[in-house]
Amino acid sequence: MSKKECIAMLLAGGQGSRLGALTSKIAKPAVSFGGKFRIIDFSLSNCSNSGIDTVGVLTQYRPYLLNNYVGSGEAWDLDERGAGVSILPPYATQEGGSWYAGTADAVTQNIGYIREHDPAYVLILSGDHLYRMDYRKMLKSHIEHGADLTVSVMPVPWEEASRFGIITKDDDDRIVKFTEKPEKPDSNLASMGIYIFSTDVLLNALEEDALDARSSHDFGKDIIPKLLENDGRLYCYEFHGFWKDVGTISSFHETSMDLLGENPEFDLYDKSFPIMSNITTRPPHYIGPEARVDDCLISNGCKVFGTVRHSILSTDAVVDERAVVEDSVLLPGARVKAGAHVVRAILGENSVVEEGVKLGSVDATKDTAVVGNDVVIGKGE
Amino acid sequence: MINRKALGYITANYTCRTRTKLLDERPFAALPIFGRYRLVDFPLSNMANAGIKTVGIVMPGNYRALIDHLSSGRDWMLDRKKGGLFMLPGNAFGSSKEGMCFLLRDIISNKMLFQRSDKPYVVMMGCNIIYNLDLAEIIEAHERSGAHATMVYTKAERAHDEDVTSLEIGEAGRVKALHPGCCYGDNKFLDCAIINREVLLQIIDRCGAMDYLDLFHALEPEFGRIDVCSYEFKGLSLGIFDEESYFQRSMDLLNPALNDKLFCPDRPILTKAHDAPPAKYTNGSVVCNSLISAGCAIKGTVRNSILSRGVVVEHGASVTNSIVMQGVVIKSGARVENAIIDKNNVVPASTELRGTPDATLVVAKAPVIAKKTVIID
């Protein structure tokens, strides 16, 4: 390719405030997931596996750990000459500078990056979704339709449709209506927040949006409705498979639990489309003489001396003697000390549950217990 | 911190005195151990953790597996513009491991590594004795001592060990003599030494006629003149010299206290990175006292064993007192006991592979065939 066909802009600046204690110290895309991964691994691996070698990562909220984790992108084979991963934080110019005011504004402020690479198409991604997707198929569909914008959509259960941005399409997959969280949805195709723009369309739309004082500078709320209003060629690309936005504590817990069992819908073990990660090397995990492990994912560096059922233990998590962990997620370095009992909980990185403490409830109507990173839970807390 | 004082020299060209199927297709230095490592990871990690950025590795003849593992050296932060990883030609093709492993001929033929460096010291290590030590501190101690060389030893804990060299240490820690073999309480040489680069270059120029000797053997007659000091390492060391010691020392690591000593987080043991997902335990799995690597899928029973990356233990299968290497599939109902199963084998359903505690069964690496349909006969 003399000219770059497609580059990706990965939106990773959000706070993820609904993840509460889990994002008090790190950005949502850097939150650990699935034992040895971090949420951004899924999008970066998708890019790598789809042959997209140029990825701008837009960061803003607590960026240090995220930037450090992404690094040069070499963990995802994205450290390419003249391409690769670029961290794009807000910056100042001679005219001043400002924080990213919205998803569209973040890209607007980095139009220079897009112009420098001069791609024919720009893929807009979120850094906080879990899915495996070959973007090449979506790009092919975009090109075949001669579209200005292609929105990736997936069917959701009708009763949940009012939680999503809903796309209504005609028989040729052309988008006729886009409604953000409709009360009475007339379609069950939800936008996945994955967009492919033809570059000139994107740049025009962003420049126009930047001048609009009433705009909230958001792709879903402003850019797409405006393009639709102006009769743009907007198409949808239907995706079938596992896709989750682990935006809340309960969806984080539920999606984690979905990885367990004999044949989970999301297969972490598919070698043809591997999920890559930038993880420190740790030795194999150790299962002690009295330990019981049933229906679990256990990562390197873990030590299990107690009982762990239907749970995920991330790198270096420790479960001491007589401790019981059930239906829970232990993030990297979390420790459950002797005799403690943890049920339906998410334990943050390097958090500790002290000896004999009981945490969480089997009652599924109650909230999942969450312990923040580095927090120590003693008796009576 | 980047170490400005030393460069590294690792001999990876020594082999086993007794034939083993484990080394049919790989050099000793590339032997997989503890689930995810290879022997060469230990000297490399010790050097990396001391900030050493120039390392020469003397290659064995059958270097494929070793080169595959080392690649550019980036997993040990050795893909540098200044310094880096240098693959050096070796002479000791097929030399067996007995005593030390710094053949003078290898040092002489790789003189350029030492000539080009501007570092005052050379750290030399072999691959057969595993430990995790603070090399930066030892380099400092060597510098403070003002000695020409420092040999690192530990107090031998086994009754008799003929594969190593013991040091006779005199006043002020000076090494007086070297003796083959080692008994309980002796000063067991760890195949780890620091030598002043200038001194080494002088030896290279002077000792050509003795190039069939190990470096320190060649120096032994001059111990009165050349100041060879000693440094006692008090941590864990595990010598791997043959099939039996490989099996026993591997099993030693099932003791969490020993495991913690070798894998202390302050000085991580680094190895080639892979992207294996966590190990998966399904309903009904029974696992105890075992080391399990990433990417394993366990539905059956595993006891007192070490499983490398991506091993599958199907329903009703059992693995006891065994080492199972990467990618092995143990089909349902099969039993593996007191065995070392090398890479990529498929143990068919309801078969038994048993050694005894005194005679470990070793199954050689299976050839890689499409879809891994390899059957052990």
Side-chain angles (χ1 to χ4, degrees):
Chain A
M1 278 187 294
S2 54
K3 179 176 152 168
K4 216 154 262 179
E5 188 177 30
C6 184
I7 70 168
M9 299 295 273
L10 202 156
L11 302 163
Q15 182 181 349
S17 54
R18 288 173 303 155
L19 280 179
L22 297 182
T23 50
S24 64
K25 290 180 180 164
I26 54 176
K28 181 172 160 188
V31 170
S32 165
F33 186 83
K36 71 166 282 189
F37 306 101
R38 295 193 181 268
I39 292 173
I40 198 171
D41 285 337
F42 295 81
S43 309
L44 288 175
S45 297
N46 284 339
C47 286
S48 180
N49 289 324
S50 302
I52 292 174
D53 66 3
T54 308
V55 184
V57 179
L58 301 143
T59 65
Q60 173 159 281
Y61 174 79
R62 288 198 178 271
Y64 169 69
L65 287 171
L66 179 62
N67 294 358
N68 194 27
Y69 184 73
V70 173
S72 67
E74 77 168 53
W76 302 270
D77 285 347
L78 289 170
D79 53 334
E80 291 283 331
R81 207 169 281 274
V85 171
S86 303
I87 305 273
L88 304 172
Y91 58 90
T93 66
Q94 287 174 335
E95 284 76 44
S98 65
W99 296 108
Y100 295 152
T103 53
D105 182 51
V107 179
T108 304
Q109 291 200 37
N110 289 288
I111 282 178
Y113 176 80
I114 298 173
R115 288 225 164 93
E116 181 149 326
H117 287 286
D118 193 21
Y121 308 98
V122 179
L123 171 66
I124 309 281
L125 300 171
S126 288
D128 51 7
H129 294 164
L130 302 178
Y131 61 112
R132 189 182 261 127
M133 182 169 173
D134 189 342
Y135 301 129
R136 282 172 294 205
K137 291 181 187 164
M138 182 175 168
L139 182 60
K140 188 162 169 273
S141 151
H142 179 84
I143 294 167
E144 279 169 5
H145 283 128
D148 293 334
L149 163 64
T150 300
V151 179
S152 182
V153 297
M154 67 180 294
V156 294
W158 280 95
E159 60 272 22
E160 288 179 28
S162 55
R163 285 176 39 213
F164 294 92
I166 290 297
I167 301 276
T168 313
K169 62 163 187 146
D170 68 12
D171 292 343
D172 299 324
D173 286 341
R174 187 157 178 174
I175 298 172
V176 294
K177 200 166 106 189
F178 178 86
T179 341
E180 194 64 66
K181 295 181 181 149
E183 273 179 39
K184 287 186 183 151
D186 56 2
S187 156
N188 69 334
L189 290 176
S191 164
M192 296 159 66
I194 301 165
Y195 314 114
I196 291 178
F197 283 92
S198 295
T199 304
D200 48 345
V201 176
L202 174 68
L203 298 187
N204 288 337
L206 290 175
E207 277 160 5
E208 196 181 316
D209 177 74
L211 300 173
D212 183 352
R214 289 165 304 165
S215 170
S216 59
H217 309 299
D218 184 273
F219 278 103
K221 291 195 192 93
D222 306 293
I223 303 284
I224 296 172
K226 196 68 179 280
L227 284 174
L228 208 50
E229 205 174 283
N230 295 346
D231 228 11
R233 292 179 61 82
L234 274 57
Y235 283 82
C236 57
Y237 169 78
E238 206 166 312
F239 175 76
H240 295 272
F242 185 93
W243 175 89
K244 282 279 161 68
D245 173 1
V246 288
T248 64
I249 291 290
S250 67
S251 72
F252 184 91
H253 184 256
E254 192 181 306
T255 309
S256 296
M257 294 296 110
D258 285 349
L259 297 174
L260 299 168
E262 287 255 359
N263 293 303
E265 197 183 343
F266 192 75
D267 180 11
L268 291 173
Y269 297 79
D270 182 353
K271 285 181 186 154
S272 64
F273 206 94
I275 308 299
M276 292 167 265
S277 71
N278 182 10
I279 192 105
T280 45
T281 304
R282 296 293 294 137
H285 63 263
Y286 177 70
I287 308 290
E290 310 294 324
R292 291 187 59 101
V293 178
D294 204 357
D295 197 6
C296 289
L297 287 182
I298 303 195
S299 311
N300 282 334
C302 289
K303 292 192 174 68
V304 182
F305 298 95
T307 298
V308 189
R309 275 192 286 268
H310 198 253
S311 294
I312 296 178
L313 267 54
S314 310
T315 309
D316 286 337
V318 179
V319 178
D320 286 340
E321 295 84 1
R322 305 184 316 283
V324 178
V325 173
E326 294 174 289
D327 302 319
S328 295
V329 181
L330 272 57
L331 297 185
R335 177 164 190 178
V336 179
K337 290 201 174 171
H341 195 144
V342 173
V343 187
R344 281 186 68 243
I346 301 168
L347 306 186
E349 296 192 30
N350 303 311
S351 64
V352 178
V353 177
E354 290 286 5
E355 285 186 23
V357 171
K358 294 207 178 334
L359 182 76
S361 161
V362 283
D363 184 352
T365 60
K366 294 220 169 103
D367 283 346
T368 310
V370 183
V371 177
N373 292 355
D374 308 310
V375 172
V376 178
I377 302 286
K379 278 204 162 162
E381 286 176 55
Chain B
M1 282 278 276
I2 291 173
N3 195 309
R4 298 185 184 282
K5 291 180 180 168
L7 74 150
Y9 174 83
I10 297 171
T11 50
N13 55 335
Y14 285 76
T15 186
C16 187
R17 281 190 294 127
T18 48
R19 188 184 166 269
T20 163
K21 291 175 195 166
L22 298 174
L23 300 182
D24 279 353
E25 290 192 35
R26 60 169 78 88
F28 214 153
L31 183 64
I33 191 159
F34 309 139
R36 72 171 301 182
Y37 303 96
R38 292 178 189 258
L39 293 183
V40 73
D41 290 337
F42 291 86
L44 275 173
S45 300
N46 280 313
M47 289 183 182
N49 291 331
I52 293 176
K53 295 294 168 194
T54 303
V55 175
I57 297 195
V58 184
M59 285 287 144
N62 54 340
Y63 52 70
R64 189 203 57 79
L66 194 57
I67 299 255
D68 178 19
H69 184 70
L70 298 172
S71 189
S72 65
R74 95 175 177 190
D75 291 301
W76 302 271
M77 296 154 290
L78 288 171
D79 54 336
R80 298 295 98 160
K81 288 184 174 172
K82 280 193 252 170
L85 184 66
F86 297 88
M87 316 276 185
L88 308 173
N91 295 292
F93 288 151
S95 291
S96 61
K97 176 70 191 81
E98 189 171 13
M100 299 175 296
C101 56
F102 304 116
L103 182 69
L104 205 46
R105 194 179 304 151
D106 285 336
I107 295 171
I108 291 170
S109 60
N110 291 299
K111 184 179 174 183
M112 197 174 284
L113 176 78
F114 309 111
Q115 279 177 323
R116 282 190 173 170
S117 175
D118 58 354
K119 308 284 185 287
Y121 310 117
V122 180
V123 176
M124 302 186 139
M125 282 182 158
C127 290
N128 288 87
I129 311 179
I130 286 171
Y131 39 78
N132 182 347
L133 44 67
D134 186 348
L135 204 47
E137 159 57 26
I138 299 174
I139 294 166
E140 291 301 315
H142 170 73
E143 185 164 63
R144 283 195 302 272
S145 75
H148 294 117
T150 296
M151 299 178 82
V152 182
Y153 70 96
T154 194
K155 290 287 178 190
E157 289 178 347
R158 252 181 297 285
H160 185 67
D161 210 342
E162 63 185 21
D163 298 291
V164 294
T165 301
S166 55
L167 309 182
E168 190 182 325
I169 296 172
E171 275 176 46
R174 276 186 77 157
V175 179
K176 286 169 69 186
L178 309 169
H179 302 293
C182 201
C183 294
Y184 179 85
D186 281 353
N187 304 314
K188 179 175 87 172
F189 180 49
L190 289 176
D191 285 353
C192 172
I194 296 166
I195 185 162
N196 295 359
R197 190 174 57 88
E198 292 298 338
V199 172
L200 186 67
L201 286 171
Q202 287 163 18
I203 294 165
I204 290 171
D205 288 342
R206 202 154 41 84
C207 296
M210 291 185 286
D211 69 352
Y212 55 90
L213 288 178
D214 256 292
L215 170 67
F216 290 98
H217 276 136
L219 286 184
E220 196 177 4
E222 299 185 67
F223 276 177
R225 189 179 66 79
I226 293 180
D227 186 2
V228 178
C229 207
S230 60
Y231 181 99
E232 186 186 354
F233 171 61
K234 292 186 169 139
L236 177 73
S237 67
L238 305 165
I240 315 284
F241 302 105
D242 50 23
E243 226 166 62
E244 189 197 345
S245 55
Y246 170 74
F247 188 78
Q248 296 304 337
R249 299 294 86 73
S250 296
M251 290 303 168
D252 285 352
L253 265 256
L254 292 178
N255 176 341
L258 296 187
N259 198 305
D260 285 347
K261 279 188 185 173
L262 194 57
F263 296 109
C264 62
D266 297 346
R267 294 191 302 269
I269 303 302
L270 306 167
T271 186
K272 184 178 174 182
H274 289 273
D275 273 302
K280 177 155 197 146
Y281 295 74
T282 29
N283 247 320
S285 64
V286 177
V287 179
C288 72
N289 193 39
S290 294
L291 284 169
I292 312 286
S293 305
C296 287
I298 301 171
K299 300 172 184 178
T301 301
V302 181
R303 289 194 173 90
N304 308 327
S305 295
I306 299 175
L307 269 51
S308 294
R309 196 170 56 246
V311 169
V312 177
V313 181
E314 293 190 353
H315 279 295
S318 79
V319 179
T320 312
N321 301 332
S322 295
I323 296 171
V324 183
M325 293 199 201
Q326 191 188 329
V328 169
V329 179
I330 298 165
K331 294 282 195 181
S332 68
R335 293 169 69 92
V336 173
E337 207 173 307
N338 299 310
I340 301 171
I341 314 286
D342 208 334
K343 279 170 83 169
N344 299 328
N345 279 293
V346 175
V347 182
S350 308
T351 49
E352 291 197 8
L353 289 175
R354 282 176 195 257
T356 66
D358 300 323
T360 309
L361 174 76
V362 178
V363 177
K365 185 173 169 181
V368 178
I369 301 179
K371 297 198 178 237
K372 286 204 302 202
T373 48
V374 181
I375 308 294
I376 294 161
D377 48 44

